[in-house]
Amino acid sequence: MGNSMLRLRVLFVNCILIIIMTLYCDGDVTEEKYTTNEDISPLEFGTETNIGILKNIESFENLAKFAMKSRRGEFVPIEDTAIYDAMVRILQDLIDSIKDVKNAYTFLNAEGLHRIVADNFLLPHDNVRKNLLLLTKRLFEVTPTTVSFIPENVVDGLLDIFENEKNLALKAHALDVLCLWLPKNPVIQARVMKLKGLEPFYYQVSKLEISVVQTLLDLFNKILKEHISARNEKIQRTKADLDKLRLYQRIGLLERMSTPTVCNGLLNIFEVAWNFNNNEVLITVFEIITDIKQFCNKIYGGNIKAVELFNALLKYVRNEQNIDYLWEQNVNVTNLETVIEEYVNNTKISSKRDEL
């Protein structure tokens, strides 16, 4: 038994070496080298860069298959770093290549996101997953009009990383991709709401660093304004306009905004943001509390945390040392003070009623 295990181990290591050598050689990738029964599509004719992109996609696919030890979902241990290091080199090469928009479309036309990203967020190697996220982000930056055509299971992987990943850097990278993907993309927003709702976003905030909290608040603020605008704008009544409006209505973000779960979840985010004592973060908080007043003001009535927070925010806004800064940031201090006063007065009135 011991000799058999040793022979299997040697065979395994030899296979890894063959794969790595193949990645950077001119020879064709063969079925025999990767012990797979699936045919490998022939490379398309094109420029040298295009051929390099296509070869990288094929090489990564085969490495990913090899990293899967069995169909039961077991992966090659991270201690066997040769495979994962080779994957990282391929991803970094692709990230650099798709800076050019033509190369980015070559990658998309070859279904690179389907073949590389969609099924590999579960690989047990942080550097591989980080570069998968960076590749997706780079693609969205270079070809922003393509975000509506990205496979839906990519967003599933992003949400899983943001919600469950312990590595905070990977959470931040996943959120960066979502910031490029979700705004003005109601189809994907609908999928996020269906799968997760808003809960993962405000449950995760206490685990995030200040810069990531700022990104999260900016994303929420942008999408909230998008939905308010979609409901209020005078549409042309074309079929496309009506279909778009119905999609926003089906997402139901504004309806959810009037629920205690969402309003109190946002209150938790505001409390965390206030404790950071960061002016930039507070600017975004002020924008959001202004927009959600129509939904959440009554819900906050009698909430002790809300009473304390809005009194603290009102004191901040009235502080002479902060007034000039707020005006410089294009914040209408007069209007903001009025909004926060309404919150404060409502919470005080509700508190007295509760006491009676």
Side-chain angles (χ1 to χ4, degrees), residues 104-105 108 113-114 135-155 158 176-189 191 226:
Y105 279 109
L108 283 171
L113 273 175
H114 292 266
L135 175 65
T136 308
K137 181 181 178 183
R138 173 63 57 79
L139 190 68
F140 287 178
E141 290 172 339
V142 175
T143 61
T145 58
T146 66
V147 297
S148 298
F149 307 101
I150 304 305
E152 289 182 341
N153 55 342
V154 173
V155 80
L158 292 172
D176 285 342
V177 177
L178 290 171
C179 285
L180 293 170
W181 197 357
L182 289 176
K184 302 295 183 182
N185 195 347
V187 173
I188 297 301
Q189 291 177 27
R191 184 170 181 82
E226 177 185 332

mmCIF file of all heavy atoms in Angstrom, residues 104-105 108 113-114 135-155 158 176-189 191 226:
data_model
loop_
_atom_site.group_PDB
_atom_site.id
_atom_site.type_symbol
_atom_site.label_atom_id
_atom_site.label_comp_id
_atom_site.label_asym_id
_atom_site.label_seq_id
_atom_site.Cartn_x
_atom_site.Cartn_y
_atom_site.Cartn_z
ATOM 1 N N ALA A 104 -9.848 42.974 -24.679
ATOM 2 C CA ALA A 104 -10.950 42.689 -23.751
ATOM 3 C C ALA A 104 -12.105 42.015 -24.485
ATOM 4 O O ALA A 104 -12.709 41.061 -23.972
ATOM 5 C CB ALA A 104 -11.419 43.977 -23.079
ATOM 6 N N TYR A 105 -12.413 42.499 -25.679
ATOM 7 C CA TYR A 105 -13.500 41.885 -26.446
ATOM 8 C C TYR A 105 -13.106 40.496 -26.966
ATOM 9 O O TYR A 105 -13.963 39.619 -27.118
ATOM 10 C CB TYR A 105 -13.935 42.802 -27.587
ATOM 11 C CG TYR A 105 -14.867 43.891 -27.113
ATOM 12 C CD1 TYR A 105 -14.449 45.207 -27.061
ATOM 13 C CD2 TYR A 105 -16.166 43.591 -26.698
ATOM 14 C CE1 TYR A 105 -15.300 46.211 -26.604
ATOM 15 C CE2 TYR A 105 -17.025 44.577 -26.253
ATOM 16 C CZ TYR A 105 -16.590 45.887 -26.204
ATOM 17 O OH TYR A 105 -17.436 46.859 -25.742
ATOM 18 N N LEU A 108 -13.895 38.372 -24.061
ATOM 19 C CA LEU A 108 -15.342 38.191 -23.923
ATOM 20 C C LEU A 108 -15.900 37.266 -24.996
ATOM 21 O O LEU A 108 -16.716 36.383 -24.710
ATOM 22 C CB LEU A 108 -16.045 39.552 -23.997
ATOM 23 C CG LEU A 108 -15.986 40.417 -22.746
ATOM 24 C CD1 LEU A 108 -16.519 41.817 -23.051
ATOM 25 C CD2 LEU A 108 -16.778 39.791 -21.611
ATOM 26 N N LEU A 113 -15.217 34.878 -19.322
ATOM 27 C CA LEU A 113 -15.834 34.968 -17.994
ATOM 28 C C LEU A 113 -16.542 33.675 -17.618
ATOM 29 O O LEU A 113 -16.523 33.260 -16.467
ATOM 30 C CB LEU A 113 -16.814 36.147 -17.942
ATOM 31 C CG LEU A 113 -16.198 37.495 -17.560
ATOM 32 C CD1 LEU A 113 -17.221 38.602 -17.667
ATOM 33 C CD2 LEU A 113 -15.633 37.456 -16.152
ATOM 34 N N HIS A 114 -17.186 33.055 -18.590
ATOM 35 C CA HIS A 114 -17.828 31.766 -18.324
ATOM 36 C C HIS A 114 -16.784 30.710 -17.992
ATOM 37 O O HIS A 114 -16.941 29.930 -17.047
ATOM 38 C CB HIS A 114 -18.618 31.295 -19.549
ATOM 39 C CG HIS A 114 -19.826 32.131 -19.858
ATOM 40 N ND1 HIS A 114 -21.082 31.812 -19.404
ATOM 41 C CD2 HIS A 114 -19.958 33.270 -20.566
ATOM 42 C CE1 HIS A 114 -21.945 32.727 -19.825
ATOM 43 N NE2 HIS A 114 -21.293 33.608 -20.535
ATOM 44 N N LEU A 135 -9.455 40.566 -12.423
ATOM 45 C CA LEU A 135 -9.714 40.378 -13.848
ATOM 46 C C LEU A 135 -11.115 40.850 -14.206
ATOM 47 O O LEU A 135 -11.317 41.553 -15.199
ATOM 48 C CB LEU A 135 -9.539 38.906 -14.208
ATOM 49 C CG LEU A 135 -9.881 38.496 -15.648
ATOM 50 C CD1 LEU A 135 -8.929 39.147 -16.634
ATOM 51 C CD2 LEU A 135 -9.842 36.968 -15.794
ATOM 52 N N THR A 136 -12.098 40.477 -13.392
ATOM 53 C CA THR A 136 -13.481 40.894 -13.643
ATOM 54 C C THR A 136 -13.616 42.405 -13.544
ATOM 55 O O THR A 136 -14.276 43.040 -14.375
ATOM 56 C CB THR A 136 -14.425 40.220 -12.630
ATOM 57 O OG1 THR A 136 -14.193 38.810 -12.632
ATOM 58 C CG2 THR A 136 -15.871 40.483 -12.984
ATOM 59 N N LYS A 137 -12.995 42.981 -12.534
ATOM 60 C CA LYS A 137 -13.050 44.440 -12.363
ATOM 61 C C LYS A 137 -12.430 45.153 -13.561
ATOM 62 O O LYS A 137 -13.000 46.118 -14.092
ATOM 63 C CB LYS A 137 -12.331 44.840 -11.077
ATOM 64 C CG LYS A 137 -12.347 46.340 -10.800
ATOM 65 C CD LYS A 137 -11.594 46.668 -9.518
ATOM 66 C CE LYS A 137 -11.565 48.173 -9.286
ATOM 67 N NZ LYS A 137 -10.783 48.539 -8.074
ATOM 68 N N ARG A 138 -11.264 44.685 -13.999
ATOM 69 C CA ARG A 138 -10.600 45.309 -15.147
ATOM 70 C C ARG A 138 -11.486 45.232 -16.392
ATOM 71 O O ARG A 138 -11.592 46.185 -17.167
ATOM 72 C CB ARG A 138 -9.259 44.621 -15.387
ATOM 73 C CG ARG A 138 -8.507 45.040 -16.659
ATOM 74 C CD ARG A 138 -8.101 46.508 -16.668
ATOM 75 N NE ARG A 138 -7.290 46.868 -15.534
ATOM 76 C CZ ARG A 138 -5.984 46.619 -15.395
ATOM 77 N NH1 ARG A 138 -5.334 45.961 -16.339
ATOM 78 N NH2 ARG A 138 -5.328 47.017 -14.337
ATOM 79 N N LEU A 139 -12.142 44.096 -16.579
ATOM 80 C CA LEU A 139 -13.001 43.913 -17.736
ATOM 81 C C LEU A 139 -14.158 44.909 -17.719
ATOM 82 O O LEU A 139 -14.500 45.511 -18.735
ATOM 83 C CB LEU A 139 -13.537 42.483 -17.764
ATOM 84 C CG LEU A 139 -14.274 42.071 -19.041
ATOM 85 C CD1 LEU A 139 -13.299 42.005 -20.209
ATOM 86 C CD2 LEU A 139 -14.957 40.732 -18.847
ATOM 87 N N PHE A 140 -14.773 45.101 -16.553
ATOM 88 C CA PHE A 140 -15.887 46.043 -16.442
ATOM 89 C C PHE A 140 -15.429 47.480 -16.664
ATOM 90 O O PHE A 140 -16.161 48.301 -17.202
ATOM 91 C CB PHE A 140 -16.543 45.920 -15.069
ATOM 92 C CG PHE A 140 -17.357 44.664 -14.894
ATOM 93 C CD1 PHE A 140 -17.966 44.394 -13.695
ATOM 94 C CD2 PHE A 140 -17.505 43.750 -15.927
ATOM 95 C CE1 PHE A 140 -18.719 43.238 -13.518
ATOM 96 C CE2 PHE A 140 -18.255 42.597 -15.768
ATOM 97 C CZ PHE A 140 -18.857 42.346 -14.560
ATOM 98 N N GLU A 141 -14.217 47.780 -16.226
ATOM 99 C CA GLU A 141 -13.684 49.131 -16.411
ATOM 100 C C GLU A 141 -13.410 49.426 -17.878
ATOM 101 O O GLU A 141 -13.663 50.529 -18.365
ATOM 102 C CB GLU A 141 -12.405 49.303 -15.586
ATOM 103 C CG GLU A 141 -12.639 49.356 -14.088
ATOM 104 C CD GLU A 141 -11.345 49.326 -13.297
ATOM 105 O OE1 GLU A 141 -10.309 48.868 -13.846
ATOM 106 O OE2 GLU A 141 -11.358 49.737 -12.137
ATOM 107 N N VAL A 142 -12.899 48.428 -18.591
ATOM 108 C CA VAL A 142 -12.506 48.629 -19.985
ATOM 109 C C VAL A 142 -13.709 48.539 -20.922
ATOM 110 O O VAL A 142 -13.794 49.264 -21.916
ATOM 111 C CB VAL A 142 -11.426 47.589 -20.384
ATOM 112 C CG1 VAL A 142 -11.095 47.693 -21.874
ATOM 113 C CG2 VAL A 142 -10.171 47.798 -19.549
ATOM 114 N N THR A 143 -14.660 47.655 -20.606
ATOM 115 C CA THR A 143 -15.829 47.453 -21.475
ATOM 116 C C THR A 143 -17.112 47.586 -20.653
ATOM 117 O O THR A 143 -17.834 46.601 -20.455
ATOM 118 C CB THR A 143 -15.772 46.067 -22.151
ATOM 119 O OG1 THR A 143 -15.777 45.053 -21.127
ATOM 120 C CG2 THR A 143 -14.546 45.918 -23.011
ATOM 121 N N PRO A 144 -17.421 48.786 -20.162
ATOM 122 C CA PRO A 144 -18.575 48.954 -19.252
ATOM 123 C C PRO A 144 -19.913 48.585 -19.876
ATOM 124 O O PRO A 144 -20.843 48.220 -19.154
ATOM 125 C CB PRO A 144 -18.528 50.441 -18.887
ATOM 126 C CG PRO A 144 -17.737 51.088 -19.980
ATOM 127 C CD PRO A 144 -16.735 50.071 -20.420
ATOM 128 N N THR A 145 -20.030 48.647 -21.201
ATOM 129 C CA THR A 145 -21.324 48.344 -21.826
ATOM 130 C C THR A 145 -21.638 46.859 -21.822
ATOM 131 O O THR A 145 -22.756 46.458 -22.137
ATOM 132 C CB THR A 145 -21.349 48.837 -23.285
ATOM 133 O OG1 THR A 145 -20.275 48.222 -24.009
ATOM 134 C CG2 THR A 145 -21.208 50.354 -23.341
ATOM 135 N N THR A 146 -20.656 46.043 -21.451
ATOM 136 C CA THR A 146 -20.879 44.591 -21.498
ATOM 137 C C THR A 146 -21.416 44.038 -20.184
ATOM 138 O O THR A 146 -21.737 42.855 -20.111
ATOM 139 C CB THR A 146 -19.568 43.850 -21.824
ATOM 140 O OG1 THR A 146 -18.654 44.029 -20.730
ATOM 141 C CG2 THR A 146 -18.959 44.355 -23.094
ATOM 142 N N VAL A 147 -21.545 44.871 -19.147
ATOM 143 C CA VAL A 147 -21.879 44.324 -17.832
ATOM 144 C C VAL A 147 -23.259 43.675 -17.803
ATOM 145 O O VAL A 147 -23.537 42.832 -16.962
ATOM 146 C CB VAL A 147 -21.782 45.403 -16.729
ATOM 147 C CG1 VAL A 147 -20.374 45.912 -16.600
ATOM 148 C CG2 VAL A 147 -22.746 46.552 -17.000
ATOM 149 N N SER A 148 -24.135 44.075 -18.725
ATOM 150 C CA SER A 148 -25.478 43.482 -18.744
ATOM 151 C C SER A 148 -25.483 42.064 -19.299
ATOM 152 O O SER A 148 -26.477 41.357 -19.179
ATOM 153 C CB SER A 148 -26.423 44.349 -19.585
ATOM 154 O OG SER A 148 -26.550 45.636 -19.033
ATOM 155 N N PHE A 149 -24.364 41.650 -19.900
ATOM 156 C CA PHE A 149 -24.331 40.340 -20.547
ATOM 157 C C PHE A 149 -23.447 39.341 -19.801
ATOM 158 O O PHE A 149 -23.146 38.275 -20.319
ATOM 159 C CB PHE A 149 -23.830 40.497 -21.987
ATOM 160 C CG PHE A 149 -24.591 41.517 -22.775
ATOM 161 C CD1 PHE A 149 -24.086 42.789 -22.980
ATOM 162 C CD2 PHE A 149 -25.848 41.223 -23.285
ATOM 163 C CE1 PHE A 149 -24.794 43.740 -23.700
ATOM 164 C CE2 PHE A 149 -26.568 42.168 -23.994
ATOM 165 C CZ PHE A 149 -26.045 43.420 -24.204
ATOM 166 N N ILE A 150 -23.066 39.699 -18.584
ATOM 167 C CA ILE A 150 -22.196 38.823 -17.811
ATOM 168 C C ILE A 150 -23.018 37.682 -17.220
ATOM 169 O O ILE A 150 -24.154 37.879 -16.809
ATOM 170 C CB ILE A 150 -21.511 39.636 -16.679
ATOM 171 C CG1 ILE A 150 -20.752 40.828 -17.286
ATOM 172 C CG2 ILE A 150 -20.552 38.759 -15.895
ATOM 173 C CD1 ILE A 150 -19.752 40.481 -18.341
ATOM 174 N N PRO A 151 -22.473 36.467 -17.183
ATOM 175 C CA PRO A 151 -23.235 35.333 -16.635
ATOM 176 C C PRO A 151 -23.671 35.583 -15.197
ATOM 177 O O PRO A 151 -22.909 36.081 -14.376
ATOM 178 C CB PRO A 151 -22.240 34.165 -16.714
ATOM 179 C CG PRO A 151 -20.897 34.792 -16.907
ATOM 180 C CD PRO A 151 -21.128 36.062 -17.635
ATOM 181 N N GLU A 152 -24.931 35.221 -14.903
ATOM 182 C CA GLU A 152 -25.499 35.529 -13.600
ATOM 183 C C GLU A 152 -24.787 34.815 -12.458
ATOM 184 O O GLU A 152 -24.740 35.328 -11.332
ATOM 185 C CB GLU A 152 -26.988 35.154 -13.587
ATOM 186 C CG GLU A 152 -27.855 36.076 -14.435
ATOM 187 C CD GLU A 152 -29.321 35.699 -14.362
ATOM 188 O OE1 GLU A 152 -29.623 34.549 -13.971
ATOM 189 O OE2 GLU A 152 -30.163 36.565 -14.676
ATOM 190 N N ASN A 153 -24.220 33.630 -12.727
ATOM 191 C CA ASN A 153 -23.580 32.917 -11.624
ATOM 192 C C ASN A 153 -22.301 33.604 -11.161
ATOM 193 O O ASN A 153 -21.774 33.291 -10.095
ATOM 194 C CB ASN A 153 -23.302 31.456 -11.987
ATOM 195 C CG ASN A 153 -22.498 31.302 -13.251
ATOM 196 O OD1 ASN A 153 -22.397 32.229 -14.063
ATOM 197 N ND2 ASN A 153 -21.934 30.132 -13.451
ATOM 198 N N VAL A 154 -21.802 34.583 -11.936
ATOM 199 C CA VAL A 154 -20.672 35.381 -11.451
ATOM 200 C C VAL A 154 -21.115 36.231 -10.264
ATOM 201 O O VAL A 154 -20.407 36.351 -9.262
ATOM 202 C CB VAL A 154 -20.084 36.262 -12.571
ATOM 203 C CG1 VAL A 154 -19.027 37.212 -12.011
ATOM 204 C CG2 VAL A 154 -19.463 35.397 -13.655
ATOM 205 N N VAL A 155 -22.303 36.839 -10.359
ATOM 206 C CA VAL A 155 -22.787 37.654 -9.242
ATOM 207 C C VAL A 155 -23.045 36.788 -8.019
ATOM 208 O O VAL A 155 -22.849 37.220 -6.880
ATOM 209 C CB VAL A 155 -24.050 38.458 -9.619
ATOM 210 C CG1 VAL A 155 -25.304 37.627 -9.574
ATOM 211 C CG2 VAL A 155 -24.214 39.667 -8.702
ATOM 212 N N LEU A 158 -19.744 36.499 -6.366
ATOM 213 C CA LEU A 158 -19.359 37.759 -5.730
ATOM 214 C C LEU A 158 -20.087 37.947 -4.407
ATOM 215 O O LEU A 158 -19.491 38.345 -3.396
ATOM 216 C CB LEU A 158 -19.675 38.926 -6.662
ATOM 217 C CG LEU A 158 -18.848 39.032 -7.945
ATOM 218 C CD1 LEU A 158 -19.404 40.116 -8.841
ATOM 219 C CD2 LEU A 158 -17.389 39.322 -7.611
ATOM 220 N N ASP A 176 -15.940 46.064 -4.858
ATOM 221 C CA ASP A 176 -15.517 46.941 -5.960
ATOM 222 C C ASP A 176 -16.153 46.503 -7.280
ATOM 223 O O ASP A 176 -16.571 47.336 -8.090
ATOM 224 C CB ASP A 176 -13.984 46.919 -6.104
ATOM 225 C CG ASP A 176 -13.286 47.723 -5.018
ATOM 226 O OD1 ASP A 176 -13.946 48.561 -4.377
ATOM 227 O OD2 ASP A 176 -12.083 47.491 -4.802
ATOM 228 N N VAL A 177 -16.196 45.187 -7.503
ATOM 229 C CA VAL A 177 -16.811 44.675 -8.737
ATOM 230 C C VAL A 177 -18.314 44.966 -8.735
ATOM 231 O O VAL A 177 -18.879 45.395 -9.748
ATOM 232 C CB VAL A 177 -16.541 43.169 -8.897
ATOM 233 C CG1 VAL A 177 -17.245 42.641 -10.150
ATOM 234 C CG2 VAL A 177 -15.042 42.902 -8.995
ATOM 235 N N LEU A 178 -18.972 44.743 -7.600
ATOM 236 C CA LEU A 178 -20.406 45.017 -7.509
ATOM 237 C C LEU A 178 -20.706 46.495 -7.754
ATOM 238 O O LEU A 178 -21.743 46.832 -8.335
ATOM 239 C CB LEU A 178 -20.937 44.597 -6.130
ATOM 240 C CG LEU A 178 -20.980 43.085 -5.868
ATOM 241 C CD1 LEU A 178 -21.305 42.808 -4.402
ATOM 242 C CD2 LEU A 178 -21.999 42.406 -6.770
ATOM 243 N N CYS A 179 -19.818 47.363 -7.334
ATOM 244 C CA CYS A 179 -20.010 48.807 -7.555
ATOM 245 C C CYS A 179 -19.982 49.159 -9.037
ATOM 246 O O CYS A 179 -20.627 50.127 -9.468
ATOM 247 C CB CYS A 179 -18.933 49.611 -6.814
ATOM 248 S SG CYS A 179 -19.196 49.698 -5.037
ATOM 249 N N LEU A 180 -19.222 48.411 -9.813
ATOM 250 C CA LEU A 180 -19.186 48.631 -11.255
ATOM 251 C C LEU A 180 -20.368 47.971 -11.954
ATOM 252 O O LEU A 180 -20.776 48.402 -13.035
ATOM 253 C CB LEU A 180 -17.883 48.077 -11.834
ATOM 254 C CG LEU A 180 -16.588 48.789 -11.429
ATOM 255 C CD1 LEU A 180 -15.380 47.981 -11.890
ATOM 256 C CD2 LEU A 180 -16.531 50.185 -12.025
ATOM 257 N N TRP A 181 -20.912 46.939 -11.354
ATOM 258 C CA TRP A 181 -21.879 46.081 -12.012
ATOM 259 C C TRP A 181 -23.329 46.451 -11.711
ATOM 260 O O TRP A 181 -24.182 46.484 -12.595
ATOM 261 C CB TRP A 181 -21.631 44.642 -11.586
ATOM 262 C CG TRP A 181 -22.266 43.613 -12.457
ATOM 263 C CD1 TRP A 181 -23.082 43.825 -13.541
ATOM 264 C CD2 TRP A 181 -22.121 42.204 -12.342
ATOM 265 N NE1 TRP A 181 -23.457 42.619 -14.101
ATOM 266 C CE2 TRP A 181 -22.875 41.617 -13.377
ATOM 267 C CE3 TRP A 181 -21.435 41.378 -11.464
ATOM 268 C CZ2 TRP A 181 -22.957 40.228 -13.553
ATOM 269 C CZ3 TRP A 181 -21.514 40.016 -11.644
ATOM 270 C CH2 TRP A 181 -22.264 39.448 -12.676
ATOM 271 N N LEU A 182 -23.643 46.751 -10.455
ATOM 272 C CA LEU A 182 -25.044 46.906 -10.058
ATOM 273 C C LEU A 182 -25.715 48.199 -10.543
ATOM 274 O O LEU A 182 -26.866 48.154 -10.989
ATOM 275 C CB LEU A 182 -25.159 46.802 -8.535
ATOM 276 C CG LEU A 182 -24.930 45.400 -7.956
ATOM 277 C CD1 LEU A 182 -24.977 45.439 -6.434
ATOM 278 C CD2 LEU A 182 -25.956 44.423 -8.477
ATOM 279 N N PRO A 183 -25.063 49.371 -10.454
ATOM 280 C CA PRO A 183 -25.758 50.599 -10.877
ATOM 281 C C PRO A 183 -26.185 50.539 -12.346
ATOM 282 O O PRO A 183 -25.452 50.046 -13.202
ATOM 283 C CB PRO A 183 -24.694 51.692 -10.640
ATOM 284 C CG PRO A 183 -23.828 51.134 -9.561
ATOM 285 C CD PRO A 183 -23.747 49.660 -9.849
ATOM 286 N N LYS A 184 -27.416 51.023 -12.599
ATOM 287 C CA LYS A 184 -27.989 51.069 -13.951
ATOM 288 C C LYS A 184 -28.138 49.675 -14.563
ATOM 289 O O LYS A 184 -28.192 49.535 -15.784
ATOM 290 C CB LYS A 184 -27.131 51.958 -14.881
ATOM 291 C CG LYS A 184 -26.959 53.380 -14.398
ATOM 292 C CD LYS A 184 -28.280 54.127 -14.379
ATOM 293 C CE LYS A 184 -28.073 55.588 -13.966
ATOM 294 N NZ LYS A 184 -29.358 56.332 -13.890
ATOM 295 N N ASN A 185 -28.175 48.671 -13.741
ATOM 296 C CA ASN A 185 -28.302 47.296 -14.221
ATOM 297 C C ASN A 185 -29.403 46.606 -13.419
ATOM 298 O O ASN A 185 -29.128 45.738 -12.572
ATOM 299 C CB ASN A 185 -26.974 46.551 -14.074
ATOM 300 C CG ASN A 185 -26.938 45.258 -14.869
ATOM 301 O OD1 ASN A 185 -27.967 44.784 -15.344
ATOM 302 N ND2 ASN A 185 -25.760 44.684 -15.003
ATOM 303 N N PRO A 186 -30.669 46.960 -13.667
ATOM 304 C CA PRO A 186 -31.761 46.427 -12.842
ATOM 305 C C PRO A 186 -31.927 44.911 -12.937
ATOM 306 O O PRO A 186 -32.450 44.299 -12.003
ATOM 307 C CB PRO A 186 -33.000 47.155 -13.380
ATOM 308 C CG PRO A 186 -32.621 47.651 -14.740
ATOM 309 C CD PRO A 186 -31.156 47.925 -14.668
ATOM 310 N N VAL A 187 -31.481 44.304 -14.028
ATOM 311 C CA VAL A 187 -31.597 42.846 -14.141
ATOM 312 C C VAL A 187 -30.773 42.167 -13.049
ATOM 313 O O VAL A 187 -31.245 41.253 -12.356
ATOM 314 C CB VAL A 187 -31.144 42.372 -15.535
ATOM 315 C CG1 VAL A 187 -31.113 40.852 -15.594
ATOM 316 C CG2 VAL A 187 -32.078 42.921 -16.612
ATOM 317 N N ILE A 188 -29.534 42.605 -12.884
ATOM 318 C CA ILE A 188 -28.677 42.019 -11.857
ATOM 319 C C ILE A 188 -29.134 42.455 -10.469
ATOM 320 O O ILE A 188 -29.076 41.683 -9.502
ATOM 321 C CB ILE A 188 -27.204 42.388 -12.103
ATOM 322 C CG1 ILE A 188 -26.735 41.808 -13.440
ATOM 323 C CG2 ILE A 188 -26.316 41.862 -10.983
ATOM 324 C CD1 ILE A 188 -26.853 40.304 -13.531
ATOM 325 N N GLN A 189 -29.602 43.693 -10.332
ATOM 326 C CA GLN A 189 -30.150 44.130 -9.044
ATOM 327 C C GLN A 189 -31.297 43.215 -8.616
ATOM 328 O O GLN A 189 -31.418 42.855 -7.439
ATOM 329 C CB GLN A 189 -30.644 45.570 -9.137
ATOM 330 C CG GLN A 189 -29.547 46.602 -9.287
ATOM 331 C CD GLN A 189 -30.111 48.008 -9.448
ATOM 332 O OE1 GLN A 189 -31.202 48.315 -8.986
ATOM 333 N NE2 GLN A 189 -29.364 48.865 -10.112
ATOM 334 N N ARG A 191 -31.690 40.122 -9.368
ATOM 335 C CA ARG A 191 -31.149 38.828 -8.928
ATOM 336 C C ARG A 191 -30.585 38.944 -7.509
ATOM 337 O O ARG A 191 -30.792 38.042 -6.684
ATOM 338 C CB ARG A 191 -30.056 38.361 -9.891
ATOM 339 C CG ARG A 191 -29.517 36.974 -9.534
ATOM 340 C CD ARG A 191 -28.633 36.427 -10.627
ATOM 341 N NE ARG A 191 -28.146 35.097 -10.298
ATOM 342 C CZ ARG A 191 -28.819 33.969 -10.478
ATOM 343 N NH1 ARG A 191 -30.046 34.011 -10.977
ATOM 344 N NH2 ARG A 191 -28.303 32.805 -10.166
ATOM 345 N N GLU A 226 -31.155 55.965 -7.989
ATOM 346 C CA GLU A 226 -31.561 55.402 -9.277
ATOM 347 C C GLU A 226 -33.012 54.938 -9.236
ATOM 348 O O GLU A 226 -33.790 55.200 -10.162
ATOM 349 C CB GLU A 226 -30.633 54.235 -9.628
ATOM 350 C CG GLU A 226 -30.965 53.498 -10.903
ATOM 351 C CD GLU A 226 -30.062 52.296 -11.100
ATOM 352 O OE1 GLU A 226 -28.903 52.314 -10.613
ATOM 353 O OE2 GLU A 226 -30.521 51.313 -11.725
#
